[in-house]
């Protein structure tokens, strides 16, 4: 063969950099295919956000599948330890680990793997994952549970006759506003259980406090109260004392002026004589 033909048969070797790039591209494609396959096989249904109020009941559903062989609820609260509820069809047996009595199956797990929580507490907040093993595959469903705590509204007059509004132990923190415009800056006090107490004093420039209304806004529900505050007896007494002192001073000054005038006139009369 000629040199030109030999050149046609000979190819330039692939550089290490190009080979690594090709392998990386292949690896990414394979990883994508594997992830898609896992998603199809497991029947992942994604996540679900659930919001409930303290003291109420909550029902968390699982993937409704027939021919279930095993169901497991894995509960990971923000506060406290991990707990599980399980069911095995081959043994027709249920078990529970570290779960409180308020968390249980709603019905028979072999018919319906739904989870029920009674008298929800703040400590129940967290992630709830249901894993179902059936003849046609494995299925997962996760619930992110958020617990709301409505604040306790208290409206009162302080020692100076100023309206004070308190939204105690709310989760999340409540928002306080006044019907009459106020320049008050609310103060927050956080508690160990995740709730927050918000306090606001009415500090409007107007002195008309015959009917002041406090409005508390919260995701669990809005509340409002009205109150009529009057100056306290201490303030009234203080004002009376100030007025009496000023009046006494004016009377004393008047008497001194009269006395000096009388003395001046009497001295002139004696000189004229």
């Amino acid at each position: 063969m000629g040199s030109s033909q030999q050149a046609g048969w000979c190819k330039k070797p692939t550089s290490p950099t190009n080979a690594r790039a090709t392998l990386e591209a292949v690896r990414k494609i394979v990883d994508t295919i594997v992830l898609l396959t896992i998603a199809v096989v497991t029947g992942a249904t994604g996540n679900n956000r659930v919001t409930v109020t303290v003291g109420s009941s909550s029902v968390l559903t699982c993937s409704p599948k027939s021919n279930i062989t095993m169901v497991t609820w894995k509960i990971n609260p923000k506060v406290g330890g991990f707990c599980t509820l399980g069911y095995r069809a081959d043994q027709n047996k249920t078990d529970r680990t570290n779960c409180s009595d308020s968390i249980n199956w709603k019905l028979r797990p072999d018919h319906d793997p739904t989870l029920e929580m009674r008298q929800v507490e703040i400590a129940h907040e967290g992630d709830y994952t249901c894993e179902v093993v059936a003849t046609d595959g494995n299925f997962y469903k996760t619930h992110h549970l958020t617990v709301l705590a409505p604040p306790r509204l208290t409206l009162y007059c302080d020692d100076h006759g100023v309206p004070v509004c308190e939204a105690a132990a709310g989760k999340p923190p409540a928002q306080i506003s006044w019907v009459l415009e106020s320049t008050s800056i609310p103060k927050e006090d956080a508690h160990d259980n995740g709730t927050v107490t918000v306090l606001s004093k009415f500090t409007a420039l107007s002195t008309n406090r015959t009917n002041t209304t406090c409005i508390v806004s919260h995701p669990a529900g809005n509340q409002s109260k009205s109150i009529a505050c009057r100056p306290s007896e201490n303030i009234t007494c203080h004002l009376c004392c100030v007025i009496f002192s000023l009046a006494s001073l004016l009377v004393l000054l008047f008497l001194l002026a009269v006395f000096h005038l009388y003395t001046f006139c009497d001295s002139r009369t004696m000189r004229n004589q």
Side-chain angles (χ1 to χ4, degrees):
M1 294 184 181
S3 59
S4 60
Q5 291 177 335
Q6 291 178 355
W9 286 100
C10 295
K11 296 182 180 179
K12 186 178 181 180
T14 304
S15 66
T17 303
N18 293 335
R20 284 196 296 270
T22 302
L23 291 174
E24 182 67 20
V26 172
R27 186 185 65 80
K28 289 183 178 179
I29 294 173
V30 172
D31 289 344
T32 302
I33 295 174
V34 170
L35 290 175
L36 291 174
T37 303
I38 292 174
V40 172
V41 173
T42 59
T45 57
N47 299 329
N48 183 33
R49 297 189 177 276
V50 180
T51 302
V52 296
T53 305
V54 169
S56 63
S57 297
S58 180
V59 174
L60 304 180
T61 60
C62 199
S63 300
K65 299 294 177 180
S66 59
N67 299 323
I68 293 177
T69 58
M70 187 167 62
V71 180
T72 304
W73 275 99
K74 296 181 179 180
I75 303 169
N76 187 21
K78 290 184 177 180
V79 179
F82 184 81
C83 91
T84 60
L85 285 177
Y87 167 73
R88 290 187 58 173
D90 59 342
Q91 299 179 1
N92 193 23
K93 179 182 178 182
T94 60
D95 62 79
R96 56 192 302 127
T97 304
N98 298 328
C99 291
S100 64
D101 294 336
S102 60
I103 301 177
N104 210 335
W105 307 99
K106 180 177 175 60
L107 300 171
R108 289 176 52 186
D110 55 337
H111 289 80
D112 185 358
T114 298
L115 187 72
E116 182 180 30
M117 287 182 295
R118 298 179 180 178
Q119 297 294 318
V120 175
E121 301 175 1
I122 295 177
H124 289 148
E125 188 171 80
D127 294 334
Y128 293 70
T129 300
C130 176
E131 300 180 1
V132 175
V133 179
T135 54
D136 54 345
N138 298 345
F139 304 87
Y140 303 85
K141 189 173 184 178
T142 299
H143 300 271
H144 298 288
L145 182 68
T146 300
V147 180
L148 302 178
R152 299 185 302 274
L153 172 57
T154 304
L155 181 61
Y156 59 93
C157 304
D158 67 6
D159 295 337
H160 302 289
V162 177
V164 179
C165 187
E166 182 183 75
K171 181 181 175 299
Q175 301 292 324
I176 297 179
S177 60
W178 299 89
V179 170
L180 295 177
E181 186 177 357
S182 174
T183 58
S184 174
I185 299 178
K187 297 181 180 180
E188 296 186 358
D189 183 17
H191 307 295
D192 294 338
N193 62 353
T195 62
V196 178
T197 295
V198 183
L199 186 141
S200 175
K201 287 189 176 183
F202 183 78
T203 57
L205 298 177
S206 174
T207 58
N208 183 14
R209 302 173 185 167
T210 56
N211 191 16
T212 306
T213 302
C214 168
I215 300 176
V216 173
S217 303
H218 193 268
N222 300 331
Q223 308 174 58
S224 64
K225 280 187 178 182
S226 299
I227 196 171
C229 293
R230 295 179 177 83
S232 63
E233 294 182 358
N234 292 335
I235 295 179
T236 303
C237 180
H238 179 72
L239 291 176
C240 291
C241 292
V242 171
I243 294 174
F244 179 78
S245 299
L246 290 175
S248 300
L249 180 61
L250 290 175
V251 171
L252 180 60
L253 291 175
F254 176 76
L255 293 177
L256 287 174
V258 171
F259 176 76
H260 284 293
L261 180 62
Y262 176 79
T263 303
F264 176 75
C265 293
D266 185 63
S267 63
R268 290 191 61 182
T269 301
M270 292 182 63
R271 285 198 300 267
N272 291 335
Q273 292 178 353

